[in-house]
DNA sequence: AGTAAAAACTGACTATAGTCAGTTTCTACC
DNA sequence: GGTAGAAACTGACTATAGTCAGTTTTTACT
């Protein structure tokens, strides 16, 4: 006797799956709460388990190890920050401005809790837990979306046609990651990490090092003021 | 009554300083031996202390923590690899080839023990022990030497004059570090990490993304083959 | 030589990340 | 609605990184 009109089938989720979802959420929230208030190092895995109302062993069913908890808590934040920035992307702005728009959103997200963010970014390379995997595969999507921006800029004639968008996206990502590491390692504030920092790097990637033999030549966005 | 001709004053080192030097050497060698044979994770700090014939507490007078042991063991290797590559630098080669010469030397050094190298590189950002400090300040020197290569290329007219050598060096370093992380995270072999990998990134940094409005225009080292 | 202060060293100890054999809870099928 | 097997959960336990109060060694000065 299935009620055909009721229960609009929002979730074909069994009890088990629901409980798993709920535990995962509780663990994520407990970890975030404790990491942001006490710091990553000062937070013990036992205290996270306690606050999430699970046993210590259960915690490690949802995260491979303590660093993997960082990926659990940052995954959604990362996703929504990226989505928001692409949703508000100025479609006809120059590529450089589009990239800065994107990365500014991420920097601002990290800036909410720089110390925890630093641990997260530091743990990223080489992490191997299930949550780390999820974040890393999301990074691939991210890279593809950057490549998409480059391709669009090529279509606009802003970027040379013979360039591989994926190679360009890789370079851009390396520069972003480098700027992020420097910033989160405690040097300077958000604004200057973005503006003289990342912008300078991206400008140099845009125009290249090589001397232009031809004609009058383009000059960088900020002409020498001296 | 100082004997003026004897004791050719090779070391104004007191007994204490000598013993410290010796202990440091013993710890460095023990750590290297164990890390390379058993792996970083499988090596306990106690086993390093035992092999170095010091107490566990003493170990932590010479390294802040376990990761700091990595910096202790890699510091010299890094220095000699960099020095060797600069000593054998082809002075009149194009900047791109000079950079690849430099980075090839480092990649080869890391390739001797990739697993330990991966731990080292992963631990680099944000490390805070005394040995990490030494490595980080050496990184600054490294950056300056890259900036020197850029400047020389500017003097040869290969690189545009209005470019900041330090900004260029920062970008180059970010691309190097990115390629290193990708390689050491287990994807691909040494040769391809260098040649399609790092070379592609540096070529794109050399020529830039932006379309060249003028004249016939230069085409990348590897013209589209299709 | 003698001695006081400083520096270096020691190893028993603590705190905590992560494991695993045993238990409970859920699902699918009869 | 009963039950066999799978999946999830538990918390006492283990291994090890890192600490620190107490000890030994070295130095500098008389």
């Amino acid at each position: 006797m299935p009620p055909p009109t009721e229960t609009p089938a929002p979730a074909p989720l069994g009890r088990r799956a629901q409980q798993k979802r709920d535990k995962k959420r509780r663990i994520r929230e407990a970890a975030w709460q404790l990491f942001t208030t006490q710091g990553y190092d000062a937070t013990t895995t036992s205290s996270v388990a306690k606050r999430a109302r699970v046993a210590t062993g259960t915690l490690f069913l949802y995260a491979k190890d303590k660093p993997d908890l960082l990926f659990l808590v940052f995954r959604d934040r990362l996703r929504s920050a990226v989505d928001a920035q692409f949703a508000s992307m100025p479609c006809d702005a120059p590529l450089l401005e589009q990239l800065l728009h994107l990365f500014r959103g991420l920097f601002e997200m990290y800036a909410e809790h720089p110390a925890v963010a630093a641990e997260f970014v530091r743990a990223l390379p080489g992490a191997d837990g299930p949550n780390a995997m999820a974040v890393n595969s999301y990074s691939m999507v991210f890279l593809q979306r950057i490549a998409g921006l480059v391709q669009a800029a090529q279509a606009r004639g802003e970027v040379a046609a013979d360039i591989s968008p994926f190679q360009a996206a890789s370079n851009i990502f390396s520069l972003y990651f480098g700027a992020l590491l420097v910033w989160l390692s405690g040097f300077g504030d958000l604004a200057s990490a973005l503006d003289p920092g990342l912008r300078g790097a991206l400008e140099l990637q845009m125009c290249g090092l090589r001397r232009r033999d031809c004609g009058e030549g383009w000059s960088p966005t900020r002409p020498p003021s001296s």
Side-chain angles (χ1 to χ4, degrees), chain A:
Chain A
M1 188 185 87
T5 55
E6 303 288 340
T7 59
L13 243 52
R15 196 143 152 196
R16 204 153 222 170
Q18 265 181 311
Q19 281 181 335
K20 272 189 84 165
R21 271 175 67 92
D22 191 54
K23 280 212 174 73
K24 197 170 180 178
R25 186 187 52 73
R26 261 152 48 206
I27 290 171
R28 189 171 54 233
E29 286 172 2
W32 180 248
Q33 185 72 22
L34 292 171
F35 287 167
T36 53
T37 53
Q38 308 184 171
Y40 175 76
D41 283 329
T43 301
T44 65
T45 54
S46 307
S47 69
V48 174
K50 200 170 201 176
R51 182 175 249 270
R53 301 190 313 272
V54 297
T56 62
T58 306
L59 200 68
F60 294 101
L61 297 173
Y62 290 85
K64 191 209 168 203
D65 48 22
K66 198 180 172 188
D68 208 42
L69 283 175
L70 286 169
F71 300 110
L72 182 63
V73 301
F74 267 101
R75 185 187 174 177
D76 290 348
R77 292 171 181 278
L78 207 56
R79 245 185 79 91
S80 39
V82 171
D83 287 348
Q85 293 315 103
F86 271 100
S88 61
M89 181 66 67
C91 291
D92 300 321
L95 179 59
L96 181 68
E97 298 309 322
Q98 291 184 321
L99 293 171
L100 282 169
H101 174 81
L102 172 59
F103 295 136
R104 183 179 303 116
L106 289 169
F107 272 58
E108 279 166 358
M109 185 271 287
Y110 289 129
E112 286 167 25
H113 292 282
V116 190
E119 294 292 338
F120 167 69
V121 171
R122 232 166 122 338
L124 255 177
D128 52 356
N131 299 302
M133 292 298 190
V135 169
N136 271 327
S137 64
Y138 187 67
S139 296
M140 279 294 142
V141 175
F142 184 56
L143 214 58
Q144 289 294 352
R145 293 179 85 167
I146 294 174
L149 291 179
V150 173
Q151 233 166 345
Q154 280 179 323
R156 293 198 301 270
E158 193 189 337
V159 163
D162 61 351
I163 281 169
S164 151
F166 190 76
Q167 176 72 74
S170 298
N171 277 28
I172 288 163
F173 188 85
S174 285
L175 297 173
Y176 156 68
F177 197 73
L180 189 59
L181 278 178
V182 168
W183 171 49
L184 289 177
S185 293
F187 304 102
D189 56 323
L190 170 59
S192 63
L194 275 168
D195 196 314
L198 184 54
R199 176 186 286 271
L202 291 175
E203 271 175 359
L204 193 54
Q205 174 58 81
M206 291 302 294
C207 69
L209 297 181
R210 202 171 254 117
R211 199 186 61 191
R212 287 142 203 288
D213 294 323
C214 48
E216 221 284 289
W218 169 93
S219 83
T221 299
R222 335 194 122 194
S225 57
S226 151

